[in-house]
Each structure stands twice: as structure tokens, then as C-alpha cells.
Amino acid sequence: MESFSSTKPTKHSSNLSEMVHRFARLCRLKSVGVVSASIPVVNPSIEGHCSTSTSTSTSTEETESKVHPHTVDEEEDPLTVIFEAVSSLKWAYVRLQEAHIPFDLDKFSSADAFIMAELKSLAQIESSYQEKQKDCVLGCGFPPKSDLCEEIAEKERLLEELQSRIRSQDSEILCLSKQIDEMDRENAKSQLLSPAVVCDAFESASKSIHDFAKPLIGLMKASNWDLSRAVKAIENGVSYAERSHKKYAFEAYICRKMFDKLQQFSPEFDNVDSIMVMRDPFEALIEDPDSVFGRFCRDKYLTVVHSKMEASFFGNLDQRVFVSNGGHPNTPLYKAFVKMARWVWVVLVMLAGSDRTAEMFRVERGTAFNETYMESVVKMEERRLNKVGLMVMPGLRYRETIIRSKVYIQ
């Protein structure tokens, strides 16, 4: 910074004006950082202008609302008045910084008004100082001291250092915040993919398929479908011990369609919570009809419920057309399907997010029964042979856990 040791009076006056304006501009900056609450508040000792650090809140408010301009008295050293004004301005700047975090609009507005008043007062001091300096230069020819220039330079250096530290800390905080968010996501994902949770979801999916098969079979009976012929179309050559056991063929059909084309499934892992918190998953479709889950429901419904089924159930294909056009009909059959589809979708999300540590396996017809990998849907003593006649639900190998496949033994 330039010194005030120049012998030209006009240049000295210009440098002082520039110096004061530089400090004024510096103090008017709205800093992105904050001054720690641990920094003591330095109050100027000008009588009638501001209170000491031990003043009450009432006196502080009066100080902020009543600002007395600093004037250069005839018997007072001008340099001393400037130093006191600068100290007051520094104190006002600290107050402005403290109003940032936590952000207090009232404190911020008060501190801002206080700074503006101090700047006006400093401008008056500058004007008075310049007038007296002109008289001094004309009268004696002596230049002013350079102490104020050095003081401002030092404060500028300290302020820049403080702002640099604040920027560095803000950057570090942002980086740590991102790391915490990533850890939270990983922890949530790890918790969701624990073996116990996967097993529960897989069992819920199996039960939901069993539940959806009931109304579907009921509609087929009401529409005079030949159930025996339909069962043979699903899996021909299976010998059922009881007529009621044919329901497993329909469960196997639904399961086969719902878990088909797993390699093409790429859901959004983060959407699981938003779907599961809904008591009725159909509400999620109302909120976002074209979500990943919504598209999954539409695609699978058109696959599971054949057009011939709909035509015989309702006498038309209006519901099918509605679904094909991106809608979700509020009908008993479709809502029952959505309840089942939610659990299948959750299982598929888990498989997609398991980093290939999960593997779904199937059991072929005629395979010898193995209790390690298979679970019979009927009591073993009811069947003469221990051969798999029909796979009702596939099995799952996840980490060290094996979820057995559900099979019909003949």
C-alpha cells in the first residue's frame, strides 16, 4: 500500500480519501462467513455512542438505534477521532457477521443500518479532516502521519485471512456432508438388503401371489371357464392328489409371469420407502401414475391378465385399453393385482440392488425332492412319489442364506 510520506499535499489528501473509502467498501461487503460467537465484542469508548461489553440488552438496542456522528473537535487530535470511528465501524461489522448464523433478520437489519450510519459518520470525519489538512498543508507544509494507512493494511490482511479460513472450512463441511449422505444411503441400503428382510419380502411376495390367485380363479369360475383345461395349458401332465390342489397351477402361472425377464429389470432403489409407507399401494399410483412402480404394474398386469380373461370377465376390453394408455383403473381386480405387484416389485428391487450377491433359482419338473432347496406346498405323506410335479415359487440364494423354492410333489 502507498505511504503518506509524500511531500506533495494534494497527493496526501487523495491517498487518505482513497484509504477511507477502501475501508468503507470493505466493511460494507456482505460476507458469506460468520464470526464465531467466541470472538469478544470490542466496543469503542466514545462517550454517548455505544455501550461497553457488560451493558444490558436494552442499552445495546439504544446504541444501535442512536448513532452520533463523530466530529473533529478543535482541541482533539483528528487521528484519534479516526481511530475511534474505525474501531466503532469494526464493532458494527462484527455485529453484522454475528447476525448470519443463526440468521436473525432483525439483528441483521439493525446491524446493517448501524454500519450505514457509521459510514456516513466516517464520511463526515473524512470531509472535516480534509478541510483541516488543507489548512495544515497550506499553513505549515507538513504531511500527515502514515500510521492509519498501516493500520488499514493490517486489518485488510487479517480480514482476507479470516475469509480464506472460512471458505476453507465451508468447503470441508460440504465435503463431509456429502460423505455423511453417502454413508446414510449405504447404511439404509445395507439394512434393506439384510438376509432377514429379504426373506420376509420373499415370503410376503409368495403369499401375495397366493392371495391374488383366489379372486382370479373366482372370476374364471363365474365366467364359466374350464379350469381343468386351463390347468393343463399351464403345466400338462401333472397329477394332482386333490381337485383343490389345482390352484397351485394358477399360482405357478402368476409367479412365472411376474418374475419373468429379470435381466431387463432396473428399478430405482430409493423409491422402495415411498411405496412401502403407503397403506394401500394404489395411492402411490394416484400420486405418480408414471413412476417406475406404476410402469411395472401396467406392464405386468397386461402380461398376467390375458385379453381373453378380461373379455370373459367384463364383457369388454375397456379396462385393458385404459391400462394400455397409461392409466390405473380403480377396480377390485386391478387393486388386488397392485397389492400383489408391490411385494414382487420390492423383491426385484432387492435383487437389482444386491450387487449380484443374490441368485434366484428354479426347480425343473421331475427333479428329486431336496429339503435343502425345496419346500413342499402339501404334506409329504399325501404323495406317493417324491418328485417335483410343479414349481409354484422359485427359490433364492442370498449371501449365506437359502430361501427354499415352493414345489408341488407328486
Side-chain angles (χ1 to χ4, degrees):
M1 179 178 292
E2 296 180 359
S3 172
F4 281 93
S5 61
S6 171
T7 59
K8 295 182 179 181
T10 56
K11 185 174 181 66
H12 158 70
S13 177
S14 175
N15 286 344
L16 176 60
S17 177
E18 179 183 0
M19 173 184 62
V20 174
H21 279 293
R22 287 179 60 191
F23 189 84
R25 289 195 302 270
L26 184 64
C27 290
R28 293 185 65 184
L29 291 176
K30 301 297 186 292
S31 173
V32 297
V34 296
V35 176
S36 171
S38 64
I39 299 178
V41 177
V42 181
N43 293 339
S45 59
I46 300 177
E47 182 178 358
H49 176 66
C50 61
S51 63
T52 63
S53 60
T54 59
S55 299
T56 63
S57 59
T58 303
S59 61
T60 301
E61 293 176 356
E62 294 175 354
T63 298
E64 295 176 350
S65 60
K66 298 180 181 180
V67 180
H68 301 278
H70 305 277
T71 58
V72 181
D73 191 85
E74 293 289 342
E75 300 177 358
E76 191 173 12
D77 185 5
L79 190 59
T80 301
V81 176
I82 293 177
F83 279 141
E84 291 174 342
V86 169
S87 297
S88 180
L89 187 58
K90 286 163 52 182
W91 175 76
Y93 182 67
V94 170
R95 293 293 302 274
L96 181 64
Q97 291 284 66
E98 290 177 334
H100 277 73
I101 296 181
F103 185 81
D104 189 315
L105 182 58
D106 293 336
K107 289 185 179 180
F108 182 88
S109 300
S110 176
D112 185 73
F114 189 48
I115 284 182
M116 294 302 297
E118 287 294 331
L119 290 175
K120 291 180 181 179
S121 179
L122 190 59
Q124 294 177 2
I125 295 174
E126 178 190 6
S127 177
S128 177
Y129 183 81
Q130 288 177 343
E131 292 297 326
K132 288 184 175 292
Q133 194 61 39
K134 288 180 181 179
D135 295 338
C136 178
V137 171
L138 293 175
C140 60
F142 292 105
K145 299 178 182 180
S146 62
D147 294 348
L148 183 59
C149 178
E150 295 176 359
E151 173 75 8
I152 293 179
E154 176 65 16
K155 298 305 179 185
E156 284 183 334
R157 185 189 66 80
L158 292 176
L159 180 60
E160 180 61 29
E161 179 181 347
L162 178 60
Q163 290 179 334
S164 177
R165 289 170 56 187
I166 290 174
R167 288 191 295 268
S168 176
Q169 291 176 356
D170 287 344
S171 177
E172 183 178 357
I173 291 173
L174 180 60
C175 182
L176 292 174
S177 179
K178 290 181 178 179
Q179 292 179 6
I180 291 174
D181 291 342
E182 182 64 25
M183 291 174 63
D184 288 341
R185 285 193 295 269
E186 290 297 326
N187 289 338
K189 182 177 178 180
S190 176
Q191 181 180 3
L192 180 63
L193 295 180
S194 65
V197 173
V198 173
C199 289
D200 290 343
F202 206 73
E203 289 296 331
S204 296
S206 176
K207 183 179 182 302
S208 66
I209 290 174
H210 174 79
D211 292 341
F212 177 70
K214 294 179 180 179
L216 189 65
I217 295 173
L219 286 172
M220 295 176 72
K221 289 180 178 179
S223 302
N224 298 320
W225 272 65
D226 187 341
L227 298 184
S228 297
R229 184 177 178 182
V231 167
K232 289 182 179 180
I234 295 172
E235 191 70 48
N236 191 21
V238 179
S239 175
Y240 297 95
E242 298 180 13
R243 184 177 181 180
S244 62
H245 291 176
K246 292 182 180 181
K247 65 182 179 182
Y248 296 116
F250 293 103
E251 293 182 24
Y253 165 79
I254 297 171
C255 180
R256 189 183 307 164
K257 295 295 184 181
M258 294 299 295
F259 285 101
D260 189 28
K261 300 180 180 179
L262 295 180
Q263 67 278 6
Q264 299 179 9
F265 189 78
S266 55
E268 296 179 8
F269 188 85
D270 294 337
N271 284 348
V272 172
D273 290 340
S274 62
I275 302 299
M276 295 305 296
V277 294
M278 298 289 185
R279 183 175 182 180
D280 184 355
F282 192 77
E283 295 177 3
L285 301 181
I286 296 176
E287 291 186 3
D288 189 0
D290 201 39
S291 64
V292 177
F293 176 63
R295 295 194 297 270
F296 175 77
C297 289
R298 287 199 300 266
D299 294 342
K300 290 300 182 180
Y301 175 82
L302 296 175
T303 300
V304 173
V305 183
H306 196 272
S307 59
K308 292 183 178 180
M309 289 183 179
E310 278 202 13
S312 62
F313 295 164
F314 311 119
N316 56 63
L317 296 177
D318 293 348
Q319 180 167 294
R320 191 173 194 82
V321 172
F322 187 73
V323 175
S324 300
N325 291 334
H328 298 284
N330 188 7
T331 62
L333 178 63
Y334 191 80
K335 294 182 71 173
F337 173 83
V338 171
K339 289 183 179 180
M340 179 268 297
R342 173 169 64 172
W343 282 110
V344 175
W345 184 77
V346 168
V347 171
L348 293 177
V349 170
M350 292 179 176
L351 296 181
S354 63
D355 298 327
R356 298 184 179 181
T357 57
E359 178 185 4
M360 188 174 291
F361 60 88
R362 302 179 181 275
V363 179
E364 299 295 332
R365 179 184 174 188
T367 305
F369 179 78
N370 186 326
E371 64 180 7
T372 302
Y373 299 98
M374 305 174 198
E375 176 185 355
S376 177
V377 293
V378 296
K379 295 181 179 180
M380 294 292 293
E381 57 268 23
E382 293 181 1
R383 312 303 293 151
R384 294 176 299 172
L385 303 176
N386 289 334
K387 299 288 185 179
V388 175
L390 180 69
M391 185 191 74
V392 180
M393 184 79 178
L396 181 67
R397 183 184 293 105
Y398 180 66
R399 298 180 183 174
E400 304 299 325
T401 303
I402 295 178
I403 302 175
R404 296 186 296 174
S405 171
K406 289 181 171 56
V407 297
Y408 182 77
I409 303 298
Q410 63 178 7

